[in-house]
Amino acid sequence: MTGIIDYGAGNLHSVRNALSFLGADLKLCTSAADLAECDRLILPGVGAFGPAMAQLARCGLVEALRAFAASGKPFLGICLGMQMLFDESMEFGIHAGLGLIPGRVIPIDAETLPVPHMGWNALDVRFATPCLLAEDAGRYVYFVHSFRADCADDFIAADSSYGEQIPALVARGNVLGAQFHPEKSGTFGLSILKRFLAMQP
């Protein structure tokens, strides 16, 4: 069973449609109790970091998500959901995150390029993960974001160039985060989600 966190602030429908297309058994999770039925979990997200974390707290999901990650079960954050995996964000003030991957979220410094970063960019794979293989280097994925992760290279499985190097896929054990939207990245994005569905604790 694959759980999708439904906290009213995510790109839930497009993620659910992509996973349904892949034949996944899905459960929309709105409370801590729902997580007990899940073998893997996806935290989607579009919007601002602070309000999204506040909504997770109102749903009683913050500590439950930390416990799920500690269980060793596969856990994937997408876009804002990826950013919330980190310790904190500088988006409209300083806001605490889930603290699952050491680091923070900072504004993109794209020099003369427009922000938000919106469009297709190629991946530079630094190390393989269950969701991303070495041979995936150069494949294009779809981004929409104004902030990026700032973390140690040890956690950056892939990055992409947009005025600066943007962490595109981060990983720490069973916890992974995609800054891009795999559910909007065509057949390659679907292959990433399919690999996630095959992950085991």
Side-chain angles (χ1 to χ4, degrees):
M1 181 67 68
T2 299
I4 305 175
I5 300 297
D6 180 5
Y7 59 111
N11 49 318
L12 184 147
H13 297 297
S14 57
V15 172
R16 181 176 62 182
N17 289 343
L19 294 172
S20 294
F21 177 80
L22 293 171
D25 293 324
L26 301 176
K27 180 175 181 61
L28 297 183
C29 300
T30 59
S31 67
D34 291 334
L35 273 56
E37 302 177 35
C38 299
D39 303 301
R40 61 191 55 81
L41 197 61
I42 293 179
L43 177 62
V46 171
F49 190 105
M53 282 298 303
Q55 185 60 24
L56 286 180
R58 281 191 288 270
C59 294
L61 285 165
V62 172
E63 291 304 323
L65 291 175
R66 290 171 177 156
F68 189 94
S71 75
K73 295 179 180 180
F75 187 175
L76 173 65
I78 296 176
C79 196
L80 177 60
M82 173 265 214
Q83 295 178 1
M84 290 192 289
L85 301 177
F86 289 94
D87 294 319
E88 65 179 21
S89 172
M90 297 175 61
E91 186 176 7
F92 306 118
I94 304 297
H95 304 279
L98 293 170
L100 302 179
I101 300 178
R104 60 180 183 156
V105 176
I106 63 174
I108 294 174
D109 181 7
E111 299 179 347
T112 60
L113 297 175
V115 176
H117 169 207
M118 183 181 300
W120 296 81
N121 287 82
L123 293 175
D124 180 13
V125 179
R126 297 189 181 192
F127 61 84
T129 73
C131 288
L132 196 67
L133 309 179
E135 54 264 35
D136 294 328
R139 301 295 298 268
Y140 279 76
V141 290
Y142 187 75
F143 292 85
V144 183
H145 65 121
S146 300
F147 289 75
R148 68 164 181 87
D150 178 24
C151 64
D153 289 347
D154 293 350
F155 304 116
I156 303 175
D159 58 11
S160 189
S161 178
Y162 190 77
E164 60 175 340
Q165 292 306 112
I166 303 291
L169 188 82
V170 295
R172 187 188 189 194
N174 60 302
V175 177
L176 302 116
Q179 180 62 75
F180 58 91
H181 287 272
E183 78 283 5
K184 296 181 180 179
S185 296
T187 55
F188 175 58
L190 289 175
S191 72
I192 292 173
L193 292 174
K194 187 175 181 178
R195 293 168 188 167
F196 176 74
L197 293 174
M199 284 180 65
Q200 299 297 322

